[in-house]
Amino acid sequence: MKLGSNPSLLAEVAPSGPERNIKESRIQARNRERILSAATEIFSRYGFRGATLDQIAERAEMSKPNLLYYFSSKEELYLAVLRDILEIWLQPLKELDEKEAPEHEISAYIDQKIEFSRLYPMASRVFANEIAAGAPILKPVLDTYLRDVVKKKARVIRKWIKRGEMADVDPYHLIMMIWAVTQHYADFAVQVDSLLGKNLDEQHFYNQTRKNIKRIIMKGILRN
Amino acid sequence: MKLGSNPSLLAEVAPSGPERNIKESRIQARNRERILSAATEIFSRYGFRGATLDQIAERAEMSKPNLLYYFSSKEELYLAVLRDILEIWLQPLKELDEKEAPEHEISAYIDQKIEFSRLYPMASRVFANEIAAGAPILKPVLDTYLRDVVKKKARVIRKWIKRGEMADVDPYHLIMMIWAVTQHYADFAVQVDSLLGKNLDEQHFYNQTRKNIKRIIMKGILRN
Amino acid sequence: MKLGSNPSLLAEVAPSGPERNIKESRIQARNRERILSAATEIFSRYGFRGATLDQIAERAEMSKPNLLYYFSSKEELYLAVLRDILEIWLQPLKELDEKEAPEHEISAYIDQKIEFSRLYPMASRVFANEIAAGAPILKPVLDTYLRDVVKKKARVIRKWIKRGEMADVDPYHLIMMIWAVTQHYADFAVQVDSLLGKNLDEQHFYNQTRKNIKRIIMKGILRN
Amino acid sequence: MKLGSNPSLLAEVAPSGPERNIKESRIQARNRERILSAATEIFSRYGFRGATLDQIAERAEMSKPNLLYYFSSKEELYLAVLRDILEIWLQPLKELDEKEAPEHEISAYIDQKIEFSRLYPMASRVFANEIAAGAPILKPVLDTYLRDVVKKKARVIRKWIKRGEMADVDPYHLIMMIWAVTQHYADFAVQVDSLLGKNLDEQHFYNQTRKNIKRIIMKGILRN
DNA sequence: TATGAATGAGACTTCATTCAT
DNA sequence: TATGAATGAAGTCTCATTCAT
């Protein structure tokens, strides 16, 4: 799934009409994508206020007024970026299946979260910044959409516990713990680099990371 | 330990002399403290760029030029805030003692980190924002000071492992995992609130949190 | 030659393309010129630090941010003004021709310098202020460009002396003397006014000036 | 004569009273002098607006409020500096004596002006800056005091001309020419340095200068 | 769809000056 | 006489946004 091309949360007018419009629509789609990608990068580096439309426009190889043709304000652009992120970010959680064994499901979930950190570290940091700043923009979405998704999955975990398939831990805390641990490698990347050195083989690093996280968490939720 | 009064990183002239000087020095100390406290709050809410000296000055009940009389630029103020935070933040880690049992030491460490999240959530968020933004200011400190402190403590953990007192986990990943999990409750407080509801008893909430985190991590590092 | 339209030192994109571009480029050229003219006036009156962008923008009938759209900082604007001045100022010197008689050449040079003082007294004063202040901005240009131009012309004068066509005076001192005397009437205009009264006919005044200066200098360098 | 200690133009309350006051008055005198000297240096480098009281106070090794105790505003301090300069600057002109031969008198005058440039280049530049900036502060003094002194001496020169002791040149232009040429070496020192190189022996340089200037001017005003 | 030009609202910072002691 | 503390006014510069084409 590509950032900036998520149709479910980002309202897009369905292009319908003569061929010329279709072509233009392709340009539009490409430009939107380029903008969102550039914005993600710049927002992740400088935060909402720190980022400037100039920087984003330059990264997207586009004039500032043209950028504002696609997203009519800085805030709107920021919101679009956040929505995209949230969707990809929640996708794996939605897939937790109570019919499967918790070991398998939770292990797979951790894998996917780490993969997200590896693939979209900048997106992850935009999200982290927004939340750490008190979610001025995203609060409503957190209070409704996020809350509902998590509530549903907490129920799944509770079922596993009731069935005696895993230890009796608070589902919410477990979920948050997994989030915290897996995102840490994206959000605090500089710090991680400072500690471990930057010259590590990325593939190897993420394997190590995965192994260590799983060793502790999976053992921690085993029924004893 | 109070924010803004840390003498080890923030150079403060020791007030010694006639009474008049002491009094003036007290004004200074009090003002510095008020500024640092106000700055922590504002920076945590809006990030470095998003925060304005106007806001900070108002919060500190002080004119802007007077604020700049104490900290000669926004960046210097920000740096002072970060230094203070880093020091308090690392203190508990420094206390890990290889002569004690790892269960006790790590348990105590987790307690202290959670306590920090509870007492200084805003400070924690300033730090998180800085790191997520790529640590433009703090990078040098991370690469030297932080790196050294952690290296020393990684050695302690490795000794415990060698002595067979705990499971064979990577010390760096363990430390980062504890950081990730304990800070999450400060840094992502809004998100936590959205999920758990805000009307929870703080005391009870942190007890729950502590219990759940420890249950998983302590079990996860048990020698099997 | 008009101030602010000097293409040799002040990079200007050559306008070439469809009519629309030409028109816009004309706006640019016109605005640049207006700004440089206004800046010369204000800088001459208040010096670099004393001048404010507000004043310059108002004189140029333009908003301050728009002014900064053309010259991205006060210093850049100042530099542009100085470069323009230096070029016009040195032009006449470059024309000294060793194949002609020194009387004719030096006489013509004095004429041109006085004319410059008459036409661009403000520009001359900006230059004088910069140099008197230690040339914080212009030093590098003086050390290279100016130095080279003068060195070349000193050689011309030495040739005249060798050929016995004029008295044996130091070329550098002669050139500086001419500068000093001719610029005085622009740079110290207020003082001149105070002494001679302001109600003098400008044409007549400059004729008098020219006559007196030439009488002394030309006689002074005659081979005896 | 020392800069900053000129009692004729700079109003000083005559200290009279008990011994203690006299002592303090000595401190006062010393401080005034130090301030004026520091101010001359800073004003010469940065102009009136460019200079800051902070810089001057630091150079004078004094706190800013204390400096303002002696000169109650920046403008007042600047005026004091200018008055001092003007006095020393005019002194030699006042000594032109019609009873002596013009060659001797004018030659001596040039000597003294060059000496002033050599001894007080910074003072000379403060003056130059003020005049080039339109003499916002000094205009009244120029219009009265300076005007009168020069008028008197112009009469002396006219007498010499009438008596046939020198060529028939305009006295005002002659005086201004001497000013222009002799001050040039102080006011445009950086430019002179750029052209001639800085590593010249100062003594030798000024001898050369004097020689060249006199050769031209003295020859120029000879009766033919 | 695209962009050069323009601007109002502010942000940081400096600085002469005053206050209180 | 001296100075730490404080501030109002102003200055440079940035930036999201709009205008005109």
Side-chain angles (χ1 to χ4, degrees):
Chain A
M1 195 178 204
K2 224 169 167 184
L3 274 186
S5 58
N6 178 349
S8 73
L9 278 174
L10 198 66
E12 288 215 47
V13 189
S16 64
E19 227 195 342
R20 197 173 143 280
N21 276 341
I22 287 179
K23 242 185 218 152
E24 284 180 346
S25 171
R26 264 183 208 151
I27 290 180
Q28 279 201 7
R30 193 172 136 270
N31 278 348
R32 275 182 170 275
E33 214 181 288
R34 266 166 55 189
I35 294 172
L36 285 167
S37 163
T40 303
E41 182 177 338
I42 302 297
F43 282 137
S44 85
R45 282 230 289 271
Y46 307 103
F48 176 67
R49 286 288 307 269
T52 73
L53 290 184
D54 269 312
Q55 289 173 299
I56 298 173
E58 195 187 9
R59 194 110 195 96
E61 290 172 314
M62 199 172 290
S63 75
K64 212 175 9 169
N66 198 22
L67 185 159
L68 284 163
Y69 173 82
Y70 288 95
F71 297 90
S72 52
S73 77
K74 191 188 185 182
E75 193 165 319
E76 188 184 313
L77 173 56
Y78 183 60
L79 187 57
V81 168
L82 284 175
R83 276 181 165 156
D84 259 24
I85 293 170
L86 189 63
E87 191 59 13
I88 324 177
W89 187 72
L90 274 180
Q91 195 50 44
L93 182 60
K94 289 180 177 169
E95 292 167 5
L96 273 200
D97 185 355
E98 59 170 279
K99 281 172 259 168
E100 303 290 329
E103 288 93 336
H104 176 265
E105 289 300 293
I106 288 174
S107 174
Y109 182 50
I110 291 175
D111 283 343
Q112 281 177 294
K113 291 294 291 174
I114 289 180
E115 195 62 6
F116 176 75
S117 282
R118 193 174 72 86
L119 291 176
Y120 311 118
M122 292 183 303
S124 186
R125 284 196 290 267
V126 173
F127 188 71
N129 262 323
E130 165 70 9
I131 305 297
I137 305 284
L138 218 49
K139 193 88 215 315
V141 186
L142 298 186
D143 280 339
T144 54
Y145 183 60
L146 178 72
R147 187 189 172 86
D148 292 345
V149 172
V150 174
K151 192 190 259 182
K152 228 175 275 176
K153 293 306 167 178
R155 259 186 244 131
V156 172
I157 293 175
R158 267 200 213 95
K159 273 188 191 162
W160 283 330
I161 295 174
K162 245 185 210 161
R163 289 190 215 139
E165 292 176 17
M166 60 176 282
D168 179 16
V169 297
D170 182 287
Y172 283 97
H173 283 287
L174 175 58
I175 289 172
M176 288 191 295
M177 194 167 169
I178 294 174
W179 287 351
V181 175
T182 52
Q183 280 168 236
H184 186 85
Y185 293 90
D187 302 347
F188 288 66
V190 227
Q191 202 184 57
V192 174
D193 284 352
S194 286
L195 295 189
L196 303 182
K198 289 181 211 182
N199 44 4
L200 36 78
D201 172 15
E202 210 215 27
Q203 190 59 42
H204 177 256
F205 166 67
Y206 271 101
N207 283 339
Q208 275 296 105
T209 301
R210 196 174 0 251
K211 206 180 75 185
N212 275 282
I213 291 179
K214 281 199 192 171
R215 182 182 306 182
I216 292 177
I217 292 194
M218 298 312 290
K219 200 166 136 192
I221 62 171
L222 270 186
R223 67 195 170 289
N224 44 347
Chain B
M1 195 179 205
K2 222 166 167 188
L3 274 186
S5 59
N6 177 351
S8 72
L9 278 174
L10 199 65
E12 287 217 46
V13 190
S16 65
E19 226 196 344
R20 199 169 140 278
N21 276 342
I22 287 179
K23 238 183 221 157
E24 281 171 16
S25 182
R26 266 188 204 147
I27 290 181
Q28 274 209 3
R30 190 170 140 272
N31 279 346
R32 275 182 169 274
E33 212 181 289
R34 265 166 56 189
I35 294 172
L36 284 167
S37 162
T40 303
E41 182 177 339
I42 303 296
F43 281 137
S44 84
R45 281 231 288 271
Y46 306 103
F48 175 68
R49 285 285 310 268
T52 75
L53 290 183
D54 267 313
Q55 291 172 300
I56 297 173
E58 195 185 9
R59 235 295 165 268
E61 289 173 313
M62 199 172 287
S63 76
K64 212 181 352 173
N66 197 24
L67 186 159
L68 286 163
Y69 177 79
Y70 288 94
F71 296 89
S72 51
S73 74
K74 190 185 183 185
E75 190 167 329
E76 188 184 313
L77 173 56
Y78 183 59
L79 187 57
V81 168
L82 283 176
R83 276 182 166 155
D84 259 24
I85 294 170
L86 190 62
E87 191 59 12
I88 320 178
W89 188 72
L90 275 179
Q91 196 47 47
L93 181 59
K94 288 179 177 170
E95 292 168 6
L96 275 200
D97 184 355
E98 62 170 279
K99 281 171 260 168
E100 303 291 328
E103 288 93 336
H104 175 267
E105 290 299 293
I106 289 174
S107 175
Y109 182 48
I110 293 174
D111 282 343
Q112 281 177 293
K113 291 293 290 173
I114 290 180
E115 195 62 6
F116 176 75
S117 280
R118 194 176 69 87
L119 291 176
Y120 310 117
M122 293 183 303
S124 186
R125 284 195 291 268
V126 174
F127 189 71
N129 262 324
E130 164 71 9
I131 303 297
I137 304 284
L138 218 48
K139 193 87 216 315
V141 186
L142 300 186
D143 280 339
T144 54
Y145 182 58
L146 178 72
R147 188 189 171 85
D148 292 345
V149 171
V150 174
K151 195 191 256 179
K152 227 175 276 177
K153 293 308 166 176
R155 257 186 245 130
V156 172
I157 294 176
R158 269 200 212 94
K159 273 189 192 160
W160 284 329
I161 295 174
K162 245 187 210 162
R163 290 190 212 138
E165 294 175 18
M166 59 176 283
D168 178 17
V169 297
D170 182 287
Y172 284 97
H173 283 286
L174 174 59
I175 289 172
M176 289 192 294
M177 197 168 167
I178 294 175
W179 287 351
V181 175
T182 53
Q183 282 167 233
H184 186 84
Y185 293 89
D187 302 347
F188 289 65
V190 227
Q191 202 184 55
V192 175
D193 284 352
S194 285
L195 296 187
L196 302 183
K198 289 180 215 184
N199 43 5
L200 37 77
D201 171 15
E202 210 215 28
Q203 191 58 42
H204 177 255
F205 165 67
Y206 272 100
N207 281 338
Q208 274 299 102
T209 301
R210 194 174 1 253
K211 207 180 74 185
N212 276 282
I213 291 180
K214 280 200 194 170
R215 181 182 306 181
I216 293 177
I217 291 194
M218 299 312 291
K219 200 167 137 191
I221 62 171
L222 269 187
R223 68 192 171 289
N224 45 342
Chain C
M1 195 178 204
K2 220 168 169 186
L3 273 186
S5 59
N6 177 351
S8 73
L9 278 175
L10 199 64
E12 288 216 46
V13 190
S16 65
E19 226 194 343
R20 199 170 138 276
N21 277 341
I22 288 179
K23 238 182 222 157
E24 281 173 15
S25 181
R26 265 185 204 149
I27 290 182
Q28 275 209 3
R30 190 172 140 272
N31 279 346
R32 275 183 169 274
E33 213 181 286
R34 267 167 53 190
I35 294 171
L36 284 166
S37 163
T40 303
E41 181 177 340
I42 303 296
F43 282 137
S44 86
R45 281 230 291 270
Y46 306 104
F48 176 68
R49 283 286 309 269
T52 75
L53 291 183
D54 267 314
Q55 291 172 299
I56 298 173
E58 195 185 11
R59 241 279 171 281
E61 289 171 315
M62 199 173 289
S63 75
K64 213 183 349 173
N66 197 24
L67 186 158
L68 285 164
Y69 177 78
Y70 288 93
F71 296 89
S72 50
S73 75
K74 190 184 183 185
E75 189 167 329
E76 189 183 312
L77 173 56
Y78 183 59
L79 187 57
V81 168
L82 284 176
R83 275 182 166 157
D84 259 23
I85 293 170
L86 190 62
E87 192 58 13
I88 321 179
W89 187 72
L90 275 180
Q91 197 47 46
L93 181 59
K94 286 179 178 171
E95 292 168 7
L96 275 200
D97 185 356
E98 63 170 277
K99 282 170 260 170
E100 303 290 330
E103 288 92 337
H104 174 266
E105 290 299 292
I106 289 174
S107 173
Y109 182 49
I110 292 175
D111 282 343
Q112 281 178 295
K113 291 293 291 173
I114 290 180
E115 194 63 4
F116 176 75
S117 280
R118 193 176 69 86
L119 290 175
Y120 310 118
M122 293 183 303
S124 186
R125 284 195 291 267
V126 173
F127 189 70
N129 262 322
E130 165 71 8
I131 304 297
I137 305 284
L138 218 49
K139 192 88 216 312
V141 186
L142 299 185
D143 280 338
T144 53
Y145 183 58
L146 177 71
R147 187 187 171 88
D148 291 346
V149 171
V150 175
K151 193 191 257 180
K152 229 175 273 177
K153 293 308 166 179
R155 258 187 245 130
V156 172
I157 294 175
R158 271 202 211 93
K159 273 190 191 159
W160 283 329
I161 295 174
K162 245 187 209 159
R163 291 191 213 137
E165 295 175 17
M166 61 176 280
D168 178 16
V169 296
D170 180 286
Y172 283 98
H173 283 286
L174 174 59
I175 289 173
M176 288 191 294
M177 197 169 167
I178 295 175
W179 287 350
V181 175
T182 53
Q183 281 167 234
H184 186 85
Y185 292 89
D187 302 347
F188 289 66
V190 227
Q191 201 185 55
V192 175
D193 284 352
S194 285
L195 296 188
L196 303 182
K198 291 180 213 182
N199 44 4
L200 35 77
D201 171 14
E202 209 216 28
Q203 190 59 43
H204 177 255
F205 165 67
Y206 272 100
N207 282 339
Q208 275 296 104
T209 301
R210 194 175 0 255
K211 207 181 71 185
N212 275 282
I213 290 179
K214 281 201 195 169
R215 180 183 307 181
I216 293 178
I217 290 193
M218 299 313 290
K219 199 166 138 193
I221 62 170
L222 270 187
R223 64 191 174 292
N224 44 344
Chain D
M1 192 179 206
K2 221 167 168 187
L3 274 187
S5 58
N6 179 350
S8 73
L9 277 174
L10 197 64
E12 287 214 47
V13 189
S16 64
E19 226 195 344
R20 198 173 142 279
N21 276 344
I22 288 179
K23 238 184 221 155
E24 283 178 348
S25 171
R26 263 182 208 153
I27 290 181
Q28 278 201 7
R30 193 171 137 270
N31 278 347
R32 275 182 170 278
E33 213 182 285
R34 266 165 56 189
I35 294 172
L36 285 166
S37 163
T40 303
E41 182 177 338
I42 302 297
F43 281 137
S44 85
R45 281 231 289 272
Y46 307 104
F48 175 67
R49 286 288 308 269
T52 73
L53 290 185
D54 269 311
Q55 289 173 299
I56 298 173
E58 195 187 10
R59 194 114 197 91
E61 291 172 314
M62 199 172 290
S63 76
K64 211 174 10 167
N66 198 24
L67 186 157
L68 285 163
Y69 174 82
Y70 289 95
F71 297 90
S72 53
S73 78
K74 191 186 183 182
E75 193 165 318
E76 189 185 312
L77 172 56
Y78 182 60
L79 187 56
V81 168
L82 284 175
R83 276 180 165 156
D84 260 23
I85 294 169
L86 190 62
E87 191 58 15
I88 324 179
W89 187 70
L90 275 179
Q91 195 48 45
L93 181 60
K94 289 180 176 168
E95 292 167 7
L96 275 198
D97 184 356
E98 61 171 280
K99 282 171 262 170
E100 304 290 330
E103 287 93 334
H104 175 267
E105 290 299 291
I106 288 174
S107 175
Y109 182 50
I110 292 175
D111 283 342
Q112 280 177 294
K113 291 293 292 172
I114 289 182
E115 195 62 3
F116 176 75
S117 280
R118 194 175 70 85
L119 290 176
Y120 311 117
M122 292 183 303
S124 186
R125 284 195 290 267
V126 174
F127 189 70
N129 261 324
E130 165 71 8
I131 304 299
I137 305 284
L138 218 49
K139 193 87 216 313
V141 186
L142 299 185
D143 280 339
T144 54
Y145 183 60
L146 177 72
R147 188 188 171 87
D148 291 346
V149 172
V150 174
K151 194 190 257 178
K152 228 176 276 177
K153 294 306 167 177
R155 261 187 241 125
V156 172
I157 294 175
R158 272 205 209 88
K159 275 192 188 156
W160 284 328
I161 294 173
K162 247 187 207 156
R163 294 191 209 135
E165 293 175 17
M166 59 176 282
D168 177 17
V169 296
D170 181 286
Y172 283 98
H173 282 287
L174 175 59
I175 288 173
M176 287 191 293
M177 195 167 170
I178 294 174
W179 288 350
V181 175
T182 54
Q183 280 167 236
H184 185 85
Y185 292 89
D187 302 347
F188 288 65
V190 224
Q191 201 183 58
V192 174
D193 284 351
S194 286
L195 296 187
L196 302 183
K198 289 179 214 184
N199 43 3
L200 36 76
D201 171 15
E202 210 216 27
Q203 190 58 44
H204 177 255
F205 166 67
Y206 272 101
N207 282 340
Q208 275 295 104
T209 301
R210 195 175 359 255
K211 208 180 72 185
N212 275 282
I213 291 179
K214 282 200 194 169
R215 181 182 306 182
I216 293 178
I217 292 194
M218 298 313 291
K219 200 165 138 192
I221 62 170
L222 271 185
R223 64 195 175 292
N224 43 345

